[in-house]
Amino acid sequence: MKKWVIRSLEQFNQNLHKNRIINALLNSRGIKAQKEAAQFLNPSVEHLFNPFLLKDMDRAVDRIDLAITRREKIVIYGDYDVDGITSTSILIRAFRKLGVDVSFYIPDRLNEGYGINKEAIDYIKQLATDLIITVDCGITAIEEVEYAKSIGMDIIITDHHECKEQIPNTIVINPKRYDCTYPNKNLAGCGVAFKLVQALWMKYNLSGFEDFLDLCAIGTVADIVELTGENRIIVSEGIKKIQKSEKSGIKALKTVAGISDVTSYSIAFQIAPRINAVGRLSDARIAVELFTTTDEDKAMQIAKYLDQENRMRQKIEEEILNESLIMIQNYYDLSNDRVIILSSPYWHVGVVGIVASRLVERFHRPVILLCEDKDGKCKGSGRSIEGFNLFENLLKCEDILVKFGGHELAAGLTIEKDKIDELRYRLNNLAKQVDVEIFLPKMYIDMEMTEEDITFETAEVIRKLEPYGFGNPSPLFYMENLKVLSKRVVGNNNKHLKLQLDKNNITYDGVYFNACDEFKDKDWENIDVVFNLDINEWNNTKNLQLMIKAVRPHTKWISDYFKNNYFRYLKFIDNNNNIEGINLDKIKFINKDENFLKEFVYFKKGYILVSSKKSLEELMYFTDFYKVTFSKNDGFDAQIIICPQVDEIDFMNSEVLIYDFLPGLYEYDKVINRAKCVYNFIDANILQSIDEFYGDVSIKKEIILNVYNDLSNNDITGTVDEMALKYNVNPYQMYKIIMTLKNNNFIRVFIKNDVLKLIKNQDTNDLNALILDDYTEKIKGLKNLLYNAVWEV
């Protein structure tokens, strides 16, 4: 479960767009001026930045011009992922148009790994190469660049990865250079390659540089860079090119993937995985051949091969994922470990990055997966979460790494096997220094919608924000307090739900994919929903539809539910609290600490036990992402349990946080002996809270007399709640009164559909002789225990 976060807008410009929804969405994407908004909604190549604003672009163009004049041999040195493949293909196609003698080199992922290596440089030299141009790599290759220069080759670096303090001593085009003032710092590698082509076309006064936008759009989407500003133009215009592309490779890929309508989604989840597959499993060069060939039969043959490799990749990925999950279960304590690092000699280095991404999605913490080789070295990939910069933190561990590079959220690395434990230790310590809040999975919501907002016009105008992707996600909306009219299972696998919801007598249709297990059996009457707004077209009929992404019980409904049912579930057990030999040393009494509580919840350390009704309000913050239940656990190993019946709870050897107190020493003894570790929050009001609790479970003889006297005249009929209201007691006290009279043979009780009928027995003893429970002695030990704890803490 994720915490819902509605984006806060510190500076809200009311005049970006006449439509209220679009205006808010533009603001939430950080757009501040009308001109910027107009360009965002109407992306055009006219708004691309001048490529010569990139540091060293002029030097690169001059060196390439010299190479063309001298008829020198140029080799493009690329990377094996989609970004590198499309970058390489862009420059190959561009140089062929310019009549350049050009070829390319992409290292083997398994045997060479990422980036430039000296063996590859030697091979390239044998091709009589004069100039190497790197794409999507090279920014950390200081020694390799010097080596290439020493054997008579010039080298131009084009890259977009993070720069270390020192960069290669050559022509370097990278918007992330500290001395580069280029406005778009978030270009993908293919974006940098495209800007080089744009600059060359400007140099030679050529038209048609836009023809390369299709390949650039594929690489940009696949590399998950922000789809804002210039990147948005690249992808928006590129999608149009892909839609009607005459490039043999793109046409073949669309056919094999079954794509008719090209979107950023189809690029990310249908095109990109097929290109990535060959780089991960076999030889990325074949993908460059796909994008550079003009032979349609050859292109189709390659596209089918890519599709086959992708199926194989999916199978290997699933195997590694399952093995990783077993290793995490066996060797990791996810309540304490903040960074997951796993290794195996049997994993494929080309696939571990994808699996790491899936593990990050599942556990919401940084993950590094490493492949061990026979020489004691391990190569792998890491993925991270927002707030933990993986590149910067690996930089702090540079002394134990053989090699590394990457971004804030993704990195590749090589490390000696015997250094893995040290890396794990260091990264976990670094992760403990950041705000615990980053480890709470969050769902960011653009804005709340009203009934007036949900219209066909709104659904149509929202489409102006496409293409969606990182930095410009599909807009998420929020609506609260909808009444659930109906739920029904749909889909061939019975995993999806079709909902009918009502808000102020307006009915909405909703579809919630893969939610059957999560929501089908919930008895929530009023819910809040997060959704995309969509238009469903079926049999020439259009209907508005909420594409539901998350649901939760409405805050007031759940708050009322817990408060109203608190006394129903309050099962005060008259146990013997005079327990001998209870070992209180196992309890760690601590002052109420918000950070401790958040860490306990965010890392799902175990159970939080709550006895006082007052505590419920304080814990409402957690109820939308942390399981809350009454009395006992229901299979989850991390949840809040209200009115805990300790005899009924399987603590599963988890940690336990007693948020306020337990009703007696018996309960403490049971928890201490069943839990892994027990914490107890303490504050100055704890003794008063205990008195209030016992006031709620105690009954007075005069009220019993009132009930009994009323029975002398007539039978009493009604629910426990109705009777409690009549006698001004809570439902638990009413239940206790009834059971006390019944167990002492003063009344008979009949029940049907929650309605009770109380009938006075004719032959009864004197009610004045009835002895009630006196909790004074019972709670003395408990209060002494907590009184001493207050002073000790």
Side-chain angles (χ1 to χ4, degrees):
M1 298 172 73
K2 296 181 179 181
K3 180 69 182 173
W4 297 8
V5 181
I6 299 180
R7 298 181 189 275
S8 60
L9 305 176
E10 295 178 1
Q11 295 179 332
F12 193 91
N13 187 338
Q14 299 280 4
N15 302 311
L16 294 179
H17 196 275
K18 63 181 180 180
N19 181 283
R20 187 185 82 89
I21 303 297
I22 294 296
N23 192 80
L25 293 174
L26 291 171
N27 273 277
S28 73
R29 280 149 180 75
I31 295 170
K32 298 179 176 62
Q34 283 185 321
K35 181 180 178 182
E36 189 182 1
Q39 290 181 3
F40 185 91
L41 295 173
N42 302 285
S44 168
V45 291
E46 297 173 4
H47 300 135
L48 290 172
F49 297 120
N50 186 327
F52 287 98
L53 294 175
L54 280 158
K55 179 76 173 174
D56 275 5
M57 181 63 81
D58 52 347
R59 294 177 63 202
V61 168
D62 288 343
R63 181 61 187 87
I64 292 168
D65 181 55
L66 183 63
I68 293 173
T69 302
R70 292 177 176 174
R71 296 186 176 277
E72 292 179 339
K73 170 81 172 180
I74 298 177
V75 170
I76 313 303
Y77 194 115
D79 185 28
Y80 36 66
D81 67 0
V82 181
D83 191 14
I85 289 167
T86 52
S87 302
T88 303
S89 302
I90 286 169
L91 290 192
I92 291 291
R93 296 186 71 99
F95 284 132
R96 283 178 182 173
K97 280 183 178 287
L98 295 174
V100 175
D101 180 10
V102 63
S103 59
F104 68 93
Y105 184 90
I106 294 180
D108 180 86
R109 183 191 288 261
L110 190 60
N111 297 315
E112 297 176 79
Y114 171 79
I116 309 172
N117 64 81
K118 290 182 180 179
E119 291 76 13
I121 293 172
D122 287 335
Y123 170 78
I124 292 170
K125 178 63 178 176
Q126 292 173 9
L127 302 176
T129 302
D130 301 289
L131 175 63
I132 299 173
I133 303 176
T134 75
V135 288
D136 194 31
C137 64
I139 195 61
T140 61
I142 295 169
E143 292 181 12
E144 292 80 3
V145 166
E146 292 303 316
Y147 180 70
K149 288 159 59 179
S150 73
I151 60 174
M153 290 186 292
D154 287 340
I155 185 165
I156 297 172
I157 303 292
T158 76
D159 201 351
H160 72 123
H161 291 95
E162 298 289 345
C163 304
K164 296 183 181 179
E165 189 172 337
Q166 184 182 0
I167 63 173
N169 182 23
T170 188
I171 299 170
V172 176
I173 305 173
N174 185 335
K176 289 191 173 74
R177 283 181 61 162
Y178 76 93
D179 55 351
C180 181
T181 58
Y182 192 70
N184 180 14
K185 295 290 184 182
N186 296 311
L187 283 169
C190 60
V192 180
F194 171 76
K195 298 306 290 187
L196 177 58
V197 172
Q198 185 186 3
L200 288 167
W201 259 234
M202 289 172 67
K203 165 79 174 177
Y204 299 122
N205 199 25
L206 299 173
S207 61
F209 71 87
E210 303 93 340
D211 292 341
F212 300 93
L213 282 170
D214 47 9
L215 292 173
C216 194
I218 292 171
T220 299
V221 170
D223 215 50
I224 320 178
V225 294
E226 287 193 9
L227 297 192
T228 56
E230 191 171 40
N231 289 345
R232 177 171 169 78
I233 297 171
I234 288 170
V235 174
S236 180
E237 293 297 306
I239 285 175
K240 295 175 186 175
K241 298 283 184 185
I242 297 169
Q243 190 71 46
K244 55 184 180 182
S245 178
E246 289 302 316
K247 290 186 177 73
S248 302
I250 290 178
K251 287 166 62 179
L253 263 183
K254 285 166 59 182
T255 299
V256 167
I259 298 171
S260 56
D261 183 29
V262 180
T263 63
S264 55
Y265 181 89
S266 61
I267 292 174
F269 295 99
Q270 294 175 280
I271 292 177
R274 287 172 167 83
I275 305 167
N276 248 331
V278 285
R280 295 182 184 282
L281 301 184
S282 51
D283 189 346
R285 291 177 296 180
I286 195 170
V288 178
E289 294 290 343
L290 173 70
F291 286 132
T292 55
T293 186
T294 57
D295 185 328
E296 295 201 354
D297 290 338
K298 180 181 179 182
M300 182 55 70
Q301 185 179 3
I302 294 174
K304 288 179 178 178
Y305 174 71
L306 264 58
D307 187 61
Q308 176 183 323
E309 288 290 279
N310 189 47
R311 295 177 193 276
M312 177 64 70
R313 187 269 305 166
Q314 290 171 330
K315 180 182 177 186
I316 295 172
E317 177 188 328
E318 206 61 35
E319 290 172 354
I320 296 175
L321 176 65
N322 291 334
E323 289 175 24
S324 298
L325 291 172
I326 292 170
M327 292 167 75
I328 291 170
Q329 183 178 359
N330 290 340
Y331 304 119
Y332 269 83
D333 177 6
L334 293 179
S335 66
N336 290 302
D337 295 315
R338 302 193 180 188
V339 178
I340 297 171
I341 302 179
L342 305 173
S343 68
S344 170
Y346 307 110
W347 292 344
H348 197 296
V349 71
V351 182
V352 290
I354 305 175
V355 179
S357 294
R358 292 181 65 179
L359 292 172
V360 169
E361 187 177 334
R362 180 175 297 206
F363 298 111
H364 198 71
R365 65 197 71 198
V367 176
I368 295 174
L369 298 187
L370 298 163
C371 305
E372 305 167 9
D373 65 20
K374 296 177 183 177
D375 300 326
K377 281 194 174 71
C378 301
K379 296 177 183 176
S381 295
R383 298 293 183 269
S384 192
I385 57 177
E386 186 179 347
F388 188 82
N389 189 311
L390 189 55
F391 178 83
E392 288 185 359
N393 282 290
L394 285 174
L395 194 59
K396 295 173 184 175
C397 306
E398 189 174 15
D399 58 303
I400 59 171
L401 299 175
V402 176
K403 189 178 180 182
F404 77 99
H407 308 282
E408 178 182 352
L409 299 177
L413 66 153
T414 303
I415 186 173
E416 300 286 350
K417 183 180 177 182
D418 59 6
K419 295 289 197 307
I420 293 177
D421 287 341
E422 175 70 11
L423 180 65
R424 184 182 293 115
Y425 174 78
R426 286 207 207 173
L427 288 180
N428 267 291
N429 279 342
L430 289 167
K432 288 174 182 176
Q433 296 171 24
V434 301
D435 189 345
V436 69
E437 197 79 27
I438 75 164
F439 295 99
L440 172 64
K442 300 178 184 70
M443 177 175 286
Y444 289 99
I445 302 163
D446 286 285
M447 60 180 294
E448 184 175 357
M449 270 195 170
T450 65
E451 301 92 298
E452 293 78 18
D453 295 324
I454 301 181
T455 64
F456 282 101
E457 180 187 1
T458 300
E460 291 287 356
V461 77
I462 286 169
R463 292 178 176 177
K464 285 182 172 289
L465 272 71
E466 296 178 356
Y468 301 129
F470 183 65
N472 179 38
S474 178
L476 274 181
F477 303 108
Y478 163 76
M479 207 170 181
E480 65 174 23
N481 201 16
L482 291 101
K483 186 174 180 59
V484 180
L485 299 179
S486 67
K487 290 183 286 191
R488 62 185 176 90
V489 176
V490 294
N492 294 331
N493 52 9
N494 291 328
K495 285 188 175 181
H496 316 309
L497 287 176
K498 184 86 172 175
L499 305 176
Q500 267 207 329
L501 307 170
D502 174 84
K503 178 79 179 279
N504 295 333
N505 297 319
I506 300 175
T507 302
Y508 302 98
D509 290 328
V511 176
Y512 196 3
F513 288 107
N514 299 309
C516 196
D517 294 339
E518 175 191 345
F519 182 52
K520 178 188 173 187
D521 297 324
K522 293 288 190 301
D523 58 356
W524 303 336
E525 297 174 8
N526 294 76
I527 61 173
D528 304 333
V529 296
V530 177
F531 61 94
N532 301 127
L533 186 59
D534 190 37
I535 298 175
N536 183 39
E537 299 185 32
W538 179 256
N539 288 339
N540 298 319
T541 301
K542 291 185 177 182
N543 292 304
L544 281 172
Q545 190 166 251
L546 310 185
M547 306 302 293
I548 296 174
K549 302 300 178 183
V551 300
R552 69 182 183 193
H554 178 52
T555 305
K556 188 176 184 309
W557 182 88
I558 195 169
S559 177
D560 291 346
Y561 176 80
F562 286 132
K563 288 177 182 177
N564 293 341
N565 287 279
Y566 173 80
F567 291 109
R568 284 181 172 274
Y569 287 92
L570 185 60
K571 302 291 185 183
F572 183 77
I573 305 167
D574 294 321
N575 294 307
N576 177 13
N577 280 274
N578 297 317
I579 291 183
E580 298 290 337
I582 180 171
N583 184 3
L584 300 180
D585 293 340
K586 290 185 178 181
I587 305 176
K588 298 179 182 179
F589 291 101
I590 55 177
N591 284 318
K592 269 192 182 177
D593 185 310
E594 184 180 353
N595 289 330
F596 182 93
L597 178 62
K598 285 182 176 179
E599 182 164 330
F600 197 94
V601 171
Y602 298 169
F603 286 94
K604 298 183 178 178
K605 289 178 177 287
Y607 298 102
I608 300 174
L609 307 184
V610 182
S611 293
S612 168
K613 188 179 180 183
K614 233 194 272 186
S615 300
L616 295 179
E617 203 62 47
E618 299 173 22
L619 290 166
M620 280 297 109
Y621 173 82
F622 301 106
T623 55
D624 61 341
F625 60 90
Y626 204 69
K627 177 78 175 176
V628 184
T629 187
F630 276 113
S631 297
K632 56 189 177 181
N633 58 330
D634 52 4
F636 289 81
D637 57 0
Q639 57 191 225
I640 297 170
I641 303 179
I642 301 167
C643 309
Q645 294 185 62
V646 294
D647 287 318
E648 300 293 325
I649 300 173
D650 177 5
F651 289 104
M652 304 171 73
N653 198 32
S654 295
E655 295 185 18
V656 170
L657 170 60
I658 301 168
Y659 188 80
D660 38 38
F661 59 88
L662 296 178
L665 294 181
Y666 173 88
E667 284 76 14
Y668 272 95
D669 187 58
K670 286 289 185 182
V671 172
I672 287 169
N673 288 306
R674 291 181 180 180
K676 175 182 176 182
C677 181
V678 181
Y679 303 93
N680 201 145
F681 274 171
I682 289 289
D683 63 19
N685 299 316
I686 190 73
L687 301 182
Q688 180 184 340
S689 297
I690 293 173
D691 286 335
E692 291 172 355
F693 174 83
Y694 274 89
D696 284 336
V697 300
S698 301
I699 52 175
K700 296 178 180 178
K701 185 174 286 189
E702 56 262 34
I703 300 176
I704 295 183
L705 286 171
N706 288 341
V707 174
Y708 190 71
N709 289 334
D710 287 347
L711 283 168
S712 299
N713 301 318
N714 291 296
D715 299 339
I716 299 176
T717 304
T719 64
V720 171
D721 288 344
E722 290 169 344
M723 294 180 191
L725 190 63
K726 178 179 178 181
Y727 293 101
N728 195 29
V729 294
N730 65 57
Y732 172 78
Q733 289 171 321
M734 192 66 233
Y735 165 80
K736 187 88 172 177
I737 290 167
I738 294 169
M739 295 308 296
T740 300
L741 289 169
K742 177 179 180 295
N743 291 338
N744 286 275
N745 294 318
F746 286 98
I747 63 170
R748 287 173 292 156
V749 180
F750 299 91
I751 183 170
K752 183 177 182 182
N753 298 329
D754 290 336
V755 176
L756 280 68
K757 186 172 185 179
L758 312 184
I759 301 174
K760 179 182 176 183
N761 283 333
Q762 296 302 317
D763 300 321
T764 60
N765 298 320
D766 181 9
L767 190 63
N768 290 315
L770 184 65
I771 299 175
L772 301 180
D773 290 323
D774 181 5
Y775 297 122
T776 305
E777 288 299 318
K778 239 179 231 301
I779 66 172
K780 186 181 290 184
L782 173 64
K783 292 182 74 171
N784 285 337
L785 162 70
L786 297 180
Y787 176 81
N788 291 331
V790 170
W791 285 100
E792 288 173 8
V793 171

